[in-house]
Amino acid sequence: MPLIQAIPYNPLVDGRQSERAMKVRRGVQRLLAEMGAHVIPELSLASGRRADLVALTRQGDIWIVEIKSSIEDFRVDRKWPDYRLHSDRFFFASHADVPTEIFPAECGFILSDGYGAEILRDAPEHRLPPATRKAVMLRFARAGAARLLAAELAGLAIPVRDGESD
């Protein structure tokens, strides 16, 4: 990365997501934060897949949220069953223009409007094996630390909360 840039670099946006998907993501992230979870967007998994959102709950559970911005987006994506192998709970998230009935009943569902979100269907729990949990936690921690450093080096304001209670 050059030392001087004409366009500010934001390590949290890679440009592959549509505006509508980013709006859904923003609402889901706000919901998860209100629930006390910490979220990493676009986290690469050991399988080579990249999860839209990975959340670490207060209880230490790992949730993956796959964002679908349209019916076609859901229909062409067949990689989502792999995400269940890397999470304790798996959710789809979308917006009001996508019919909820297209999403599998065995997955959770979150409806987002960009300003917030609501869990309309809870995801069934399928506990991760200890070795997989450790691997996902390490990826989560390393990605979070790397992104924090990248944001700091890019001159982005980073809120710091000392004494955070969990």
Side-chain angles (χ1 to χ4, degrees), residues 43-51 79 82-83 85-86 139:
L43 182 67
S44 294
L45 304 170
S47 64
R49 303 276 189 222
R50 186 188 323 240
K79 66 186 183 300
D82 185 53
Y83 295 137
L85 303 175
H86 301 279
R139 283 182 178 274

Side-chain angles (χ1 to χ4, degrees), residues 52 66-68 72-81 83 92:
D52 291 337
E66 177 69 0
I67 296 168
K68 294 297 160 205
E72 186 64 19
D73 184 17
F74 175 73
R75 286 194 179 139
V76 300
D77 178 10
R78 292 295 160 226
K79 66 186 183 300
W80 66 265
Y83 295 137
F92 281 104

Side-chain angles (χ1 to χ4, degrees), residues 12-68:
L12 301 179
V13 177
D14 66 10
R16 292 178 303 123
Q17 301 81 12
S18 69
E19 187 175 327
R20 182 167 267 177
M22 291 300 289
K23 187 175 176 182
V24 171
R25 178 171 122 177
R26 187 172 50 251
V28 172
Q29 286 177 293
R30 287 177 176 160
L31 169 69
L32 294 170
E34 288 170 8
M35 295 171 65
H38 294 282
V39 181
I40 299 274
E42 301 296 329
L43 182 67
S44 294
L45 304 170
S47 64
R49 303 276 189 222
R50 186 188 323 240
D52 291 337
L53 293 172
V54 178
L56 180 60
T57 69
R58 287 184 187 271
Q59 297 76 26
D61 292 341
I62 297 168
W63 292 8
I64 290 182
V65 180
E66 177 69 0
I67 296 168
K68 294 297 160 205

